[in-house]
Amino acid sequence: MQTEESQETITPPKKRRRIGWMFGAAWISALSFCALFASRLPFITDYDEKVLVAGRSKSYGVGPSAQAWLGTDKSSFDIFSRCIYGARLTLFVGIGATILGLFLGGTIGLLGGYFRGRVDRLVSIIVDSLLALPPLLLALLIVYRLDDLKLEIWFWSVTRPWEITITLGILAIAPLARITRAQTISLREREFILTARSLGAKNSRIIFRELLPNLIPTMLTVAFTGLGILIAAEGALAFLGLGIERPQTWGRLINIARDDLDRAAWATLFPCLFLLLTVVSFNILGDHIARRFDIREATL
Amino acid sequence: MRYLSQRLLQFSIVFFIVTFGVMVLMRLGLNAPGDPARTMLGGTVSQEMIDQISKQYHLNSNLIVQYWYWLKGIVWSQDFGYSVQQNISVATYMRPKILVTFFLGIYALTWGLIIAVPIAVYQAYKRDSNFDKAGNFFSFFFISVPALVFSPFIIYVFVMKLGWFPRIGEKIYPWDNFGEHFRNFFLPVVVLSLPTAAVFVRLLRADMIATLQSDFITLARAKGVSPQRTLWSHALRNSLFSVLTSVGVQIGSLVGGALVVEQYFNMKGMGFLLISTILSKDLFVVQSLSAILVASVVFANLGIDLLYTVIDPRIRHARALV
Amino acid sequence: MSTEDNSAFLEVVNIKTHFETPRGVVRAVDDVSFSLTRGRSLGIVGESGSGKTILVRSIMGLLPKRGTLREGAVMYRGENLINKTPAEMRGTWGREMAMIFQDPMTSLNPLMKVGKQIAEPLMSHLGMEKATAWATAEKLLHDVHIAEAQRRLSQYPHELSGGMRQRVMIAIALACGPSILFADEPTTALDVTVQAQILELINEQRRQRNMSLLLVTHDLGVVAGNTDEIAVMYGGKLVEKAPTKTLFAEMKMPYTHALLESIPKLNHAAHTRLATISGRPPDLVHPPKGCRFAPRCHFARDRCHSEEPPLTAGKSPDHVYACFYPVGSAEYSERKVEISRS
């Protein structure tokens, strides 16, 4: 009785949470909207249009002004529009990688957790191996090799954006598999699964009808938080020179402006801000969903 | 003991799979004889040179044989291979760079813990206070801040605007000049340690809150034990598990962070080396660096396992029975 | 109130403990009063959710401060404890008042050696050196009849059996020689065979050390032979209180009676249906308007639902009960006949 009562006394500060959630959702929607319709929105400069601010162009760009809201970079490109065009690809790559990771990681985690035994041991080894190498190093190795091999799968030639999507998708496998596996193991012992099994339901039926629906909230949370992490990883890859040439993503913009940080801080700090706000927003959304579905933090 | 040997076996399997995997990955597409040597040497080189290197490192044998010779070299004669491009042994080439990254990693982990533990403990103790709320806000924020964003901001403020620190973090060993070492490493370590601390704070706070609600804490209070003692001696020790477990994963993300931080701060560390050697296809260097990283993750996890058994007698007991 | 007067050793006056929850205010303990003299024992009986555990923790001041509202007075040796801060209470906890918890598995620190857990209060309250404290701890383990005390000291709780863990807990409680022992369901988590031993141990130590005992349980059978007085709680209120013998001889509350009926008895024929109390304990956020037991009481009448019965004195000395139509009253018998007929 005592514990029950003391738990009941926890009153969550709801208002602050809602503000955070609304902010995250607003930022993501605004960014996605701009990115989707970048070429049609009047206030976004075309990707290749050079912007002269007050008729000037300097070797390191010009600061924020009415013509270029966030200033220009050293080639006189509008940083705001570059950031938006960058968002286009970043979001595409991030979402693609998350879907790939969810599919692959979710599948092996589910199989390992459901069948246990030998399958599980195999899954554990795969997951442990993927986790043993620092993720960014793994990404570097894979992108670089994919790039080198110039894969042609049937009529689909794997271009840089796809390479990065695949790479980040592979990075997402291990953590997602681990979470799915843990969840599956705990679900598997619950009454409704045991009932289904004792009624002689087939494995496939149990997995698709009983397990999968119950895994969705967790997966959704992890997907959002993971999206933030993958976007940050994409930024890091681009920064380290293994990014996408065109359109340039935020990481690459940061890299280009690096040497001008003292003279043209805007060229570095605004792409940074875009990256930061996006990652934070996805984390907030993930957190929000986790609270909605009451998922304990420890499982993440 | 049996438990530990089991874990050791498991970790060795992982080590072999990953190092072999890296080797295979690096050599995909280099199928013709002489290819690996040619790739490693880069540019135009004579056929004799290629033949000689291929022979010396068994580069024309199959992958398993190559792997065997590479591993044997490391284990038997601490020979990590040869960087043909730099014309020095990989070990000599790597050592100073590894030290830089090693310092970064160790400082970041240590500071992460030093910052996190008191904050998390106090947050859990004063739950829902303003301190707790601020702690939650900052830990959430710093978990989300990528090193790529943090580095420019911190350089902009502390180097450009305030001029407190040098922009370029040259490697100066603590035993040479500690003051300079500190100045050079301070900002990069801040960038790496705050997100680490944030992760630790969140895990530890959650565990501490759960622990503080358990009966044995009420008993400790009912015994008249002081709150400080209850917190630090009873509750903290019972709440360390998630944090310890996460250290293994944190090493991985620290290395990732270090890759970016080293670039931004121009520190010639392991990350610097990794990127340049991956790009220049210096096979042996990439292989050996990956092996060292994998080994450190594996050993850290083993160490954590050992630590568990020190902290929790129940695990010691249960494992003795296994 | 005189300090060493035995009649008022611990006096609880109109104590109320309320919790603020999102659902509303939970009146976990509502206006409970009783007193305890030195060396005597009182059993508090009630279902789970009747507020008995909260009452004990309230008296000791062990509840979390946040969201908790405490009113009334807890007079201990002439001093009111109710407004004391945890820091001020620390000298009382363990030294004057000690507590035995329900589940010895979760109440002992799993990562600390048994010896250290016993030695801790000795060192902080009595200022003992470590060696002396451990020697005393060993002696305490002897007192609670643990064999091989020396060896047990350096063991961890998980290496002991349930009964032994509870003995350790008693040793911890006894360590600093408290004058009141609160035992919160001390036998509930134990095997039946061990339960009697533990109760006997508690009583033996109480007599030897001239301690007062407050024994909280849901089991009327546990208090029957072990306490001088019995108080019955329902829905956060004290509903009947009497010396043990009086209570069993002349119980007045239908609730007490129902509790007694729900204990299986040896003289029942095999397969006799066990009497249960139907319904659920009252919601303490919105307690029933009149008597809190009325919704579940077979003998309740209109008055019971609208008016709260006050504590009335029974025929025997020290017997109080809160019921309009107590066992034995005309209305009670009348209804009883109706029930048996249907």
Side-chain angles (χ1 to χ4, degrees):
Chain A
M1 160 133 198
Q2 209 267 320
T3 47
E4 235 173 71
E5 224 109 48
S6 56
Q7 266 162 12
E8 254 186 292
T9 50
I10 306 162
T11 37
K14 276 177 195 153
K15 204 172 154 200
R16 220 161 37 87
R17 290 250 162 74
R18 202 178 303 135
I19 292 170
W21 179 74
M22 268 156 54
F23 169 80
W27 171 260
I28 298 291
S29 346
L31 188 70
S32 319
F33 178 78
C34 289
L36 267 178
F37 302 104
S39 48
R40 281 185 217 156
L41 291 173
F43 56 89
I44 296 171
T45 323
D46 274 348
Y47 187 72
D48 286 322
E49 189 189 325
K50 297 209 175 194
V51 179
L52 297 183
V53 177
R56 286 189 306 164
S57 139
K58 281 186 187 161
S59 62
Y60 51 84
V62 185
S65 66
Q67 284 103 310
W69 294 348
L70 306 184
T72 64
D73 68 3
K74 59 173 131 191
S75 317
S76 289
F77 290 125
D78 178 25
I79 288 174
F80 177 64
S81 95
R82 291 255 143 158
C83 282
I84 296 292
Y85 277 97
R88 212 178 214 191
L89 208 62
T90 299
L91 290 175
F92 170 80
V93 166
I95 292 169
T98 305
I99 293 170
L100 187 67
L102 274 178
F103 180 71
L104 294 177
T107 309
I108 67 170
L110 194 64
L111 292 180
Y114 186 74
F115 291 108
R116 307 302 304 266
R118 229 177 263 168
V119 185
D120 197 24
R121 238 167 289 155
L122 185 69
V123 168
S124 296
I125 285 185
I126 295 174
V127 169
D128 283 351
S129 303
L130 282 171
L131 286 175
L133 213 52
L136 208 53
L137 170 60
L138 184 64
L140 281 174
L141 284 172
I142 299 174
V143 180
Y144 159 72
R145 288 310 299 174
L146 284 174
D147 209 33
D148 229 30
L149 292 171
K150 304 257 178 302
L151 282 184
E152 299 262 351
I153 302 169
W154 203 13
F155 55 84
W156 176 50
S157 67
V158 181
T159 51
R160 242 318 158 66
W162 284 108
E163 282 165 29
I164 296 193
T165 310
I166 293 171
T167 306
L168 295 180
I170 294 174
L171 284 199
I173 291 178
L176 286 169
R178 223 163 51 165
I179 292 159
T180 319
R181 177 176 169 273
Q183 283 274 306
T184 310
I185 290 174
S186 71
L187 281 174
R188 174 176 195 274
E189 304 304 326
R190 296 261 286 274
E191 278 90 18
F192 65 97
I193 303 282
L194 292 177
T195 318
R197 253 209 295 219
S198 64
L199 290 174
K202 272 187 295 188
N203 281 334
S204 60
R205 196 195 143 85
I206 295 176
I207 288 177
F208 286 109
R209 290 286 181 81
E210 313 281 352
L211 274 175
L212 221 48
N214 283 290
L215 285 173
I216 283 172
T218 318
M219 304 305 282
L220 217 59
T221 313
V222 182
F224 272 103
T225 317
L227 201 50
I229 296 170
L230 290 181
I231 284 174
E234 191 278 328
L237 278 179
F239 173 75
L240 295 175
L242 285 167
I244 299 151
E245 294 296 328
R246 201 195 137 84
Q248 293 158 338
T249 54
W250 302 324
R252 206 174 158 72
L253 294 173
I254 296 171
N255 190 29
I256 291 172
R258 207 172 125 195
D259 295 329
D260 296 322
L261 183 61
D262 42 353
R263 285 175 299 180
W266 59 86
T268 297
L269 298 186
F270 284 119
C272 279
L273 203 62
F274 267 80
L275 183 54
L276 177 66
L277 289 177
T278 309
V279 175
V280 169
S281 298
F282 277 122
N283 277 351
I284 292 175
L285 293 186
D287 199 54
H288 180 76
I289 299 172
R291 262 175 234 286
R292 274 294 283 280
F293 291 104
D294 197 27
I295 298 163
R296 271 202 61 218
E297 209 168 300
T299 58
L300 305 175
Chain B
M1 272 306 104
R2 195 158 147 206
Y3 169 80
L4 278 178
S5 57
Q6 231 173 14
R7 296 288 282 173
L8 203 62
L9 179 74
Q10 199 180 331
F11 284 133
S12 323
I13 293 174
V14 167
F15 177 81
F16 291 130
I17 288 178
V18 176
T19 47
F20 187 69
V22 169
M23 193 183 90
V24 173
L25 193 66
M26 286 305 287
R27 284 164 203 215
L28 276 181
L30 306 176
N31 298 325
D35 266 2
R38 193 173 296 119
T39 312
M40 262 177 18
L41 292 168
T44 47
V45 275
S46 63
Q47 189 61 40
E48 288 113 70
M49 185 82 175
I50 291 172
D51 289 343
Q52 193 217 322
I53 294 290
S54 299
K55 199 165 160 244
Q56 191 181 341
Y57 290 102
H58 308 269
L59 294 180
N60 288 338
S61 327
N62 70 39
L63 285 173
I64 295 180
V65 174
Q66 287 188 36
Y67 182 73
W68 166 247
Y69 279 108
W70 169 77
L71 200 65
K72 191 180 144 198
I74 291 180
V75 177
W76 254 257
S77 40
Q78 285 75 52
D79 176 10
F80 286 84
Y82 194 74
S83 169
V84 192
Q85 289 168 13
Q86 303 295 326
N87 205 16
I88 43 173
S89 80
V90 172
T92 329
Y93 189 27
M94 289 191 310
R95 193 171 299 125
K97 317 245 153 69
I98 290 177
L99 265 178
V100 170
T101 310
F102 174 77
F103 279 127
L104 278 179
I106 289 291
Y107 290 161
L109 268 184
T110 323
W111 277 108
L113 279 174
I114 292 176
I115 297 168
V117 171
I119 291 180
V121 168
Y122 198 67
Q123 266 191 282
Y125 182 53
K126 294 275 174 197
R127 206 167 108 215
D128 289 347
S129 66
N130 286 330
F131 179 83
D132 184 30
K133 283 175 194 159
N136 278 340
F137 179 80
F138 282 111
S139 58
F140 187 83
F141 180 75
F142 279 113
I143 281 178
S144 314
V145 178
L148 180 56
V149 171
F150 206 174
S151 310
F153 268 103
I154 211 165
I155 285 190
Y156 184 69
V157 174
F158 290 98
V159 179
M160 308 272 158
K161 291 285 147 190
L162 299 172
W164 291 354
F165 296 94
R167 164 136 193 209
I168 293 171
E170 276 170 81
K171 56 158 204 296
I172 291 170
Y173 299 127
W175 45 84
D176 291 339
N177 179 344
F178 190 79
E180 277 305 299
H181 175 75
F182 178 82
R183 256 165 68 81
N184 279 317
F185 274 79
F186 187 81
L187 290 183
V189 167
V190 167
V191 170
L192 292 176
S193 59
L194 284 186
T196 312
V199 173
F200 290 158
V201 164
R202 291 197 95 185
L203 292 171
L204 185 56
R205 175 182 175 271
D207 279 13
M208 275 293 283
I209 285 176
T211 307
L212 284 178
Q213 281 171 349
S214 46
D215 287 348
F216 67 85
I217 294 296
T218 318
L219 177 67
R221 294 182 65 211
K223 282 199 289 193
V225 175
S226 73
Q228 293 306 322
R229 219 184 134 75
T230 312
L231 273 183
W232 295 99
S233 156
H234 285 266
L236 179 60
R237 197 171 163 182
N238 276 284
S239 315
L240 282 175
F241 295 93
S242 309
V243 167
L244 278 183
T245 315
S246 76
V247 168
V249 178
Q250 280 305 306
I251 291 176
S253 39
L254 273 176
V255 171
L259 282 172
V260 173
V261 166
E262 283 172 16
Q263 286 286 333
Y264 216 97
F265 285 84
N266 269 312
M267 300 182 98
K268 300 274 185 303
M270 222 168 166
F272 223 84
L273 188 62
L274 262 171
I275 291 161
S276 60
T277 48
I278 287 178
L279 291 175
S280 65
K281 304 166 193 185
D282 214 337
L283 301 185
F284 279 137
V285 185
V286 175
Q287 252 169 264
S288 301
L289 281 175
S290 318
I292 288 169
L293 286 176
V294 176
S296 48
V297 171
V298 164
F299 276 114
N301 281 327
L302 264 180
I304 290 162
D305 267 16
L306 268 175
L307 220 75
Y308 278 160
T309 57
V310 172
I311 290 180
D312 195 338
R314 284 169 299 181
I315 298 177
R316 218 179 301 155
H317 197 71
R319 285 178 183 175
L321 298 174
V322 171
Chain C
M1 200 172 298
S2 60
T3 32
E4 277 314 307
D5 179 6
N6 271 354
S7 66
F9 185 60
L10 173 76
E11 193 156 347
V12 175
V13 188
N14 299 347
I15 193 169
K16 286 181 186 173
T17 307
H18 296 176
F19 297 106
E20 279 164 36
T21 71
R23 274 178 58 231
V25 175
V26 175
R27 294 173 176 79
V29 175
D30 212 357
D31 218 358
V32 171
S33 306
F34 63 84
S35 62
L36 193 58
T37 42
R38 173 123 209 187
R40 303 272 289 173
S41 58
L42 170 70
I44 296 183
V45 193
E47 288 169 286
S48 43
S50 60
K52 52 197 196 306
T53 296
I54 303 288
L55 173 67
V56 172
R57 294 195 179 194
S58 248
I59 295 170
M60 272 190 87
L62 275 175
L63 293 167
K65 230 180 17 202
R66 207 154 30 90
T68 311
L69 225 100
R70 276 197 312 160
E71 267 173 41
V74 176
M75 302 302 292
Y76 173 71
R77 289 191 158 153
E79 231 185 322
N80 192 352
L81 302 182
I82 199 119
N83 290 321
K84 287 197 171 187
T85 62
E88 292 167 331
M89 284 300 288
R90 216 178 317 134
T92 314
W93 287 338
R95 183 99 174 78
E96 304 284 335
M97 302 175 163
M99 190 160 168
I100 300 168
F101 288 73
Q102 176 171 358
D103 188 351
M105 184 74 243
T106 58
S107 310
L108 293 174
N109 185 339
L111 306 188
M112 202 183 263
K113 282 179 184 166
V114 163
K116 193 173 176 197
Q117 298 194 46
I118 306 175
E120 227 180 5
L122 290 170
M123 288 159 76
S124 65
H125 286 307
L126 309 181
M128 282 190 192
E129 293 295 312
K130 197 182 166 202
T132 335
W134 279 67
T136 315
E138 192 186 334
K139 211 187 126 288
L140 280 161
L141 286 190
H142 275 300
D143 288 351
V144 295
H145 312 302
I146 287 182
E148 298 177 273
Q150 176 84 53
R151 189 168 67 89
R152 299 296 183 196
L153 282 179
S154 50
Q155 283 185 324
Y156 290 92
H158 71 270
E159 294 170 273
L160 308 178
S161 69
M164 228 185 300
R165 279 194 286 255
Q166 196 59 296
R167 286 171 194 271
V168 168
M169 183 114 75
I170 295 171
I172 292 175
L174 298 177
C176 300
S179 36
I180 304 183
L181 192 60
F182 295 91
D184 184 5
E185 304 256 12
T187 57
T188 310
L190 300 177
D191 285 350
V192 186
T193 45
V194 187
Q195 286 184 1
Q197 297 171 15
I198 293 292
L199 284 171
E200 196 179 318
L201 173 67
I202 292 175
N203 255 319
E204 166 202 301
Q205 291 297 325
R206 177 180 70 82
R207 279 191 300 270
Q208 277 179 18
R209 292 164 194 257
N210 192 25
M211 289 185 296
S212 307
L213 171 70
L214 206 86
L215 180 66
V216 170
T217 174
H218 63 276
D219 188 349
L220 207 50
V222 165
V223 284
N226 290 291
T227 56
D228 303 322
E229 268 187 301
I230 294 176
V232 181
M233 275 188 80
Y234 185 81
K237 288 204 168 271
L238 198 83
V239 292
E240 183 160 19
K241 183 172 151 297
T244 306
K245 273 192 190 134
T246 317
L247 188 89
F248 281 97
E250 330 167 356
M251 59 178 61
K252 291 291 182 196
M253 259 301 277
Y255 176 63
T256 316
H257 192 73
L259 268 184
L260 186 67
E261 292 289 299
S262 65
I263 302 172
K265 285 174 200 64
L266 278 178
N267 54 8
H268 278 165
H271 303 296
T272 306
R273 211 159 212 230
L274 208 53
T276 51
I277 307 176
S278 59
R280 303 211 282 131
D283 175 7
L284 295 180
V285 176
H286 308 288
K289 205 171 146 224
C291 170
R292 292 191 178 177
F293 184 58
R296 298 168 73 186
C297 184
H298 295 304
F299 307 97
R301 285 155 194 265
D302 290 346
R303 191 177 169 203
C304 299
H305 291 287
S306 58
E307 198 182 324
E308 206 175 308
L311 275 178
T312 3
K315 265 181 270 160
S316 310
D318 295 329
H319 184 186
V320 287
Y321 62 90
C323 187
F324 292 125
Y325 311 106
V327 180
S329 66
E331 291 89 342
Y332 182 90
S333 318
E334 181 192 306
R335 182 65 64 83
K336 184 137 195 160
V337 174
E338 285 168 29
I339 293 169
S340 57
R341 230 185 269 140
S342 61

